[in-house]
């Protein structure tokens, strides 16, 4: 970003002595400096070596907006030696220089050090053109910065997409295994309860089915499915967020992820999310079912 060159480096100047060359012919009374730090315009009247005029300079803020500030000044000129004094209007750094009919060189100091400016005869129209050029450069810099930030954000999102896919796929595989184990455990437990009930009374076999190892296996399987459903839901959400972060990519950023990849990833996220919801409901239902089945034994008399 171009460093603002407004009132501080240009206008806050006190009278100081200098040496220089002699002026040749009538001196210009309007000057423009178009520097890497900003544009500066000086205009004055010279009455017997006493200068009175106005300074305008451009400055750029943190939002890449270029504005101009103005301040009056006084000064002196004699045999090519020039001094400018902005009084107490701004800062109190010194500014001195030398002038000819084709060049004006000024040297000053501010908090950052020495400031040197080279002016050429110019008009306020030329100054405004320089300010417009500075604003165009600032606008381009703002655009470039926005594009760079968007590119960085997009690249980061792309780098998270593949791990999110792997996590969702792994969670889905684990969920399928836990679902099969839970369904088998519930089938086995239901058969054991039915066999125990058929005895007509609560013997040791019936008690084991109701509250022993048989019930524990079914209950653990249900809890495992609940946990798998939760992990799957989280993985599906993470994958969906990763897909949304890269599709579509930020403005003016070219996508580096094929549409077919995003389509496959979206399908995986959808299947994972759907399975998580179904398994969560199934685990809740089967948890109640375990309690209901075991209750059938508790109502039997002891053998």
């Amino acid at each position: 970003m171009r460093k603002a060159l407004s009132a501080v480096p240009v206008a806050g100047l006190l009278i100081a002595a200098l040496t220089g060359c002699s002026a040749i012919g009538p001196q210009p009374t309007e000057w423009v400096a178009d520097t890497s730090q900003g544009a500066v315009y000086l205009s004055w009247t010279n009455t017997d070596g006493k200068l009175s005029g106005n300074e305008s300079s451009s400055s750029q803020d943190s939002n890449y907006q270029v504005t101009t500030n103005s301040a009056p000044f006084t000064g002196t000129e004699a045999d090519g030696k020039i001094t400018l004094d902005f009084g107490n209007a701004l800062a109190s750094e010194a500014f001195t220089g030398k002038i000819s009919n084709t060049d004006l060189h000024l040297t000053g100091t501010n908090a950052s050090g020495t400031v040197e400016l080279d002016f050429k005869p110019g008009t306020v129209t030329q100054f405004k053109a320089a300010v417009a050029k500075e604003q165009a450069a600032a606008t381009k810099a703002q655009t470039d910065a926005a594009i760079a930030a968007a590119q960085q954000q997009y690249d980061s999102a792309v780098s998270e997409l593949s791990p999110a896919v792997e996590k969702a796929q792994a969670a889905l595989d684990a969920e399928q295994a836990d679902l099969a184990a839970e369904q088998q455990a519930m089938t086995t437990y239901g058969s054991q309860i039915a066999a125990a009930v058929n005895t007509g009374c609560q013997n040791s076999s019936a008690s084991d089915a109701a509250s022993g190892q048989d019930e524990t296996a079914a209950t653990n399987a249900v809890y495992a499915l609940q946990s798998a459903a939760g992990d799957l839901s989280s993985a599906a959400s993470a994958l969906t967020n990763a897909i949304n972060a890269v599709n579509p990519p930020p403005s003016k950023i070219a996508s580096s992820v094929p549409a077919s990849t995003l389509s496959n990833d979206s399908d995986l996220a959808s299947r994972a999310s759907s399975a998580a919801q179904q398994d969560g409901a199934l685990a809740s239902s089967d948890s109640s079912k375990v309690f209901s089945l075991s209750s059938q034994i508790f109502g039997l008399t002891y053998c």
Side-chain angles (χ1 to χ4, degrees), residues 21 27 43 45 54 57 90 93 125-126 156 163 197 226 228 232 262 287 302:
C21 58
Q27 295 173 344
S43 175
T45 56
N54 190 75
S57 55
L90 298 168
E93 292 86 0
T125 299
Q126 290 173 307
S156 176
V197 169
Q226 287 178 325
L232 185 57
L262 290 175
S287 180
Y302 284 94

Side-chain angles (χ1 to χ4, degrees), residues 49-297:
K50 294 183 178 180
L51 305 180
S52 177
N54 190 75
E55 171 271 341
S56 295
S57 55
S58 61
S59 62
Q60 184 183 143
D61 62 23
S62 59
N63 294 320
Y64 297 90
Q65 294 300 308
V66 176
T67 57
T68 59
N69 297 287
S70 298
F73 65 86
T74 58
T76 60
E77 185 277 326
D79 296 327
K81 304 172 185 178
I82 190 170
T83 63
L84 298 179
D85 180 9
F86 290 83
N88 296 323
L90 298 168
S92 58
E93 292 86 0
F95 213 166
T96 62
K98 56 185 178 180
I99 186 174
S100 71
N101 59 345
T102 58
D103 297 280
L104 170 63
H105 178 79
L106 294 177
T107 301
T109 59
N110 62 14
S112 299
T114 301
V115 178
E116 294 193 48
L117 294 173
D118 289 303
F119 292 81
K120 291 292 185 181
T123 64
V124 68
T125 299
Q126 290 173 307
F127 168 69
K128 290 180 178 179
V131 173
K133 182 181 70 173
E134 184 180 2
Q135 180 62 74
T139 300
K140 182 179 183 304
Q142 182 182 32
T143 301
D144 291 346
I147 292 175
Q151 184 69 61
Q152 183 178 17
Q153 181 180 14
Y154 175 73
D155 291 344
S156 176
V158 169
S159 70
E160 293 298 322
L161 185 60
S162 180
V165 170
E166 294 177 2
K167 180 180 179 181
Q169 186 61 63
L172 186 58
D173 292 342
E175 171 272 338
Q176 290 294 309
D178 287 341
L179 175 61
E182 188 271 350
Q183 290 175 330
Q184 180 60 50
M186 288 300 297
T187 298
T188 300
Y189 185 54
S191 297
Q192 291 169 335
I193 289 293
V197 169
N198 285 337
T199 65
C201 59
Q202 187 174 158
N203 55 22
S204 59
S205 176
S207 295
D208 287 344
S211 59
Q213 185 176 2
D214 300 334
E215 181 184 12
T216 299
T219 300
N220 288 344
V222 171
Y223 287 161
L225 181 59
Q226 287 178 325
S227 178
D231 291 343
L232 185 57
S233 179
S234 176
S237 178
L239 177 55
T240 299
N241 290 339
I243 294 171
N244 291 339
V246 299
N247 185 34
S251 177
K252 298 185 178 182
I253 300 298
S255 174
S256 59
V257 182
S260 59
T261 297
L262 290 175
S263 178
N264 292 335
D265 293 348
S266 295
D267 179 64
L268 173 61
S270 178
R271 288 188 291 116
S273 180
S274 178
Q277 292 177 356
Q278 292 175 3
D279 291 352
L282 177 61
S284 178
S285 174
D286 283 355
S287 180
S288 298
K289 188 175 181 180
V290 169
F291 177 78
S292 177
L293 287 171
S294 65
S295 295
Q296 296 179 34
I297 301 298

